[in-house]
Amino acid sequence: MRNYSNKKLFGAFLVLGAMFFSANAAAQETQVLVNTGNTDGKLGALSRPASVNKLETETADDFVLDQTTVLSGATITGLVTTSLANISNVEIEIYHRFPEDSIADRTPQVPTRQNSPSDVEIDSATRDGNSHTLRFSAALLNPTFTALKTVVNSISVAQGEPAVTGAEVEITVTFTSPIVLPAGHYFFRPEVQVNGGDFLFLSAPKPIVAPGQAIAGDLQAWIRNSKLSPDWLRIGADIIGGNPAPAFNMTFTLSGAKLESAGTPGAEDCHDVTISGLAHQFGSIPSAVSALGFSSVKSLQNSFAAFCGAE
């Protein structure tokens, strides 16, 4: 009886151990951290880089991180006015919220700067397909989709434009160099290069509904072109207008992993605390490299050195 009981007990420990390690492994996997839900088709807002006879135009929407996070990828839902095959590049920028990274005392050319993206992006968080810091693929969701209102050429007050029909697409982005951000309120700005056409970032419901996940203090989407820069306009309140004026979210997700223990940027022990926390959370630094999507241990170390050196 004793041997049999011991065998049963040992077997139970094995099962519990397997369950623990399985749960721990699952907890370490990257997951969707920001999700604004499915598009509602109410708005398509231009977001493209500059090219011949075309101004750079940027559309941005906000998200919140409640702790230090490594972002490994994103999805963007939009409308293209030509073939899917003509999508040639994607660039992602992330902005703080005004007044960070901004000249707060200059005279703006917009109704308000409150709750807008900052004047300039976070340099360390920019990722570009042309620079090989991200890769992307595009999938067709609907060959004929209509955005009921658009903001394309008239980036100025009370200048909303009519409906546009095109192909609804979802672009999946993987950051080959993951983005490390401390807790904070940010803006996500994708630009999509479409040869012979344009990309209109599609709106999502505001307030966010399932399958989206509510964002604390959710703000509305903003837009600017190179003539308006560094200022931004609220797409709903300033450009579309009306009484009451609408407010829009944009359709995107962000994936990654929250760090259980990270140092404080600028602190002397930031790097040591963060690397130790990564080793504990993921089992080892090589395991953290694999789970978070870094290309090497050196790449991870460099990213967190830059994170810890941030002011």
Side-chain angles (χ1 to χ4, degrees):
M1 288 292 292
R2 181 178 298 172
N3 288 340
Y4 177 66
S5 297
N6 286 343
K7 287 179 180 178
K8 286 180 68 178
L9 187 60
F10 180 69
F13 281 135
L14 285 177
V15 170
L16 289 171
M19 291 172 63
F20 171 79
F21 286 115
S22 176
N24 193 45
Q28 293 172 7
E29 293 177 357
T30 58
Q31 57 187 303
V32 175
L33 302 174
V34 177
N35 182 1
T36 60
N38 298 323
T39 184
D40 57 12
K42 292 182 178 180
L43 173 78
L46 185 65
S47 206
R48 69 179 181 204
S51 60
V52 178
N53 297 322
K54 290 184 176 182
L55 296 175
E56 179 182 30
T57 304
E58 306 172 88
T59 296
D61 193 17
D62 68 309
F63 67 97
V64 173
L65 300 176
D66 58 11
Q67 62 193 81
T68 298
T69 300
V70 177
L71 297 178
S72 57
T75 65
I76 314 154
T77 301
L79 182 149
V80 294
T81 56
T82 184
S83 168
L84 192 71
N86 289 342
I87 298 174
S88 59
N89 191 46
V90 175
E91 183 197 62
I92 302 294
E93 289 182 346
I94 293 176
Y95 290 74
H96 286 117
R97 183 172 57 166
F98 177 83
E100 289 188 73
D101 299 334
S102 303
I103 301 173
D105 59 355
R106 65 174 174 79
T107 301
Q109 51 185 329
V110 292
T112 184
R113 301 173 77 190
Q114 183 177 1
N115 291 326
S116 78
S118 300
D119 288 359
V120 297
E121 71 276 12
I122 303 170
D123 283 339
S124 62
T126 296
R127 299 293 183 268
D128 189 338
N130 287 335
S131 301
H132 308 293
T133 50
L134 66 77
R135 61 178 183 269
F136 68 91
S137 61
L140 181 65
L141 299 180
N142 188 335
T144 306
F145 188 89
T146 299
L148 299 178
K149 293 184 181 295
T150 59
V151 177
V152 178
N153 298 306
S154 299
I155 314 299
S156 57
V157 173
Q159 291 292 322
E161 297 163 74
V164 169
T165 297
E168 181 191 10
V169 301
E170 181 179 77
I171 299 174
T172 299
V173 176
T174 299
F175 301 132
T176 54
S177 176
I179 299 170
V180 184
L181 293 171
H185 202 146
Y186 298 93
F187 281 86
F188 171 76
R189 190 284 276 158
E191 279 185 351
V192 180
Q193 177 72 56
V194 182
N195 299 330
D198 281 321
F199 175 85
L200 306 187
F201 201 1
L202 288 170
S203 62
K206 183 173 173 56
I208 295 171
V209 299
Q213 303 161 359
I215 294 173
D218 186 22
L219 304 174
Q220 62 181 299
W222 296 68
I223 194 169
R224 69 180 180 184
N225 60 21
S226 51
K227 289 184 176 180
L228 186 66
S229 180
D231 289 325
W232 299 79
L233 283 168
R234 297 168 294 181
I235 296 175
D238 298 328
I239 298 176
I240 303 295
N243 188 18
F248 300 99
N249 283 316
M250 308 312 292
T251 310
F252 70 99
T253 69
L254 291 170
S255 299
K258 296 180 180 182
L259 302 190
E260 295 173 357
S261 178
T264 302
E268 185 176 352
D269 64 349
C270 175
H271 192 260
D272 290 343
V273 169
T274 304
I275 297 303
S276 176
L278 288 168
H280 180 267
Q281 181 174 347
F282 295 96
S284 68
I285 294 303
S287 294
V289 168
S290 177
L292 297 174
F294 287 96
S295 60
S296 64
V297 170
K298 182 179 180 180
S299 174
L300 178 147
Q301 292 275 10
N302 289 343
S303 291
F304 283 100
F307 163 78
C308 285
E311 296 182 354

